[in-house]
Amino acid sequence: MKAILQKAILLVPLFFVTTILSGQTPDSLGTDDKPLLNRQEATLLNSFRKNKQDTFDFKGKQIAFVTGSTGGRLLAKSYYFKTFIKPWIDKGSSPQCFVVQLTAEERLKSGGYDAIVLSWVKLFTDKQRKKIISRLQLEMKEG
């Protein structure tokens, strides 16, 4: 009986994650490195934030992904989903999703990014935020 209960406890979160993905497979996540999220990526990231106070919606948004203890490392979208999202989904868990919304001025400077998603960042200062925005601006000019 205990083994059945343990299996049920493991399957319930998996059911919710697959329901959230609306029948999509994790293969539809991070299929490119364009900053504009596809429908499945936006839906999944929104699901991680459903209990948060802010009302940020990932749909139709351009997102930069950042990691490192001080948030100094920009990630490609495909790498972010492969490394920071899919392993959690495979375990039936939800990763933490911290969002830093950019102001209108920051969006212009960054080349159109709406927000920065932080993964495993311990301390993200205003100084680091400005550096990331400058790096995004530089990448847009080079790309």
Side-chain angles (χ1 to χ4, degrees):
M1 185 66 162
K2 185 177 179 181
I4 292 172
L5 182 60
Q6 288 174 335
K7 286 180 183 178
I9 289 171
L10 291 174
L11 289 176
V12 169
L14 184 60
F15 170 77
F16 286 112
V17 168
T18 56
T19 301
I20 289 167
L21 289 174
S22 305
Q24 300 297 322
T25 66
D27 295 339
S28 59
L29 303 172
T31 57
D32 62 48
D33 289 325
K34 297 175 187 171
L36 183 65
L37 299 179
N38 69 34
R39 184 175 53 85
Q40 293 81 18
E41 293 162 345
T43 300
L44 182 66
L45 290 175
N46 279 333
S47 74
F48 297 148
R49 310 222 8 100
K50 65 184 174 200
N51 295 327
K52 303 291 181 191
Q53 296 295 325
D54 68 61
T55 57
F56 185 81
D57 185 356
F58 284 98
K59 290 179 183 155
K61 300 294 191 298
Q62 293 192 71
I63 305 298
F65 300 95
V66 173
T67 193
S69 60
T70 61
R73 183 171 164 223
L74 275 171
L75 301 171
K77 182 173 71 169
S78 58
Y79 182 81
Y80 170 78
F81 279 98
K82 177 184 174 187
T83 307
F84 293 91
I85 297 295
K86 288 181 183 180
W88 288 86
I89 292 172
D90 291 345
K91 294 178 187 174
S93 299
S94 295
Q96 291 182 343
C97 183
F98 295 102
V99 179
V100 176
Q101 294 182 53
L102 301 183
T103 65
E105 182 182 336
E106 290 171 328
R107 282 194 294 274
L108 285 173
K109 272 184 120 175
S110 69
Y113 284 85
D114 296 288
I116 301 169
V117 170
L118 306 177
S119 293
W120 298 102
V121 175
K122 294 179 183 177
L123 179 64
F124 193 69
T125 63
D126 285 337
K127 182 178 179 181
Q128 192 62 16
R129 179 179 179 146
K130 289 175 185 174
K131 283 183 182 180
I132 292 295
I133 291 167
S134 293
R135 286 180 58 197
L136 292 171
Q137 181 182 35
L138 183 63
E139 284 186 9
M140 291 302 278
K141 287 180 182 177
E142 292 175 353

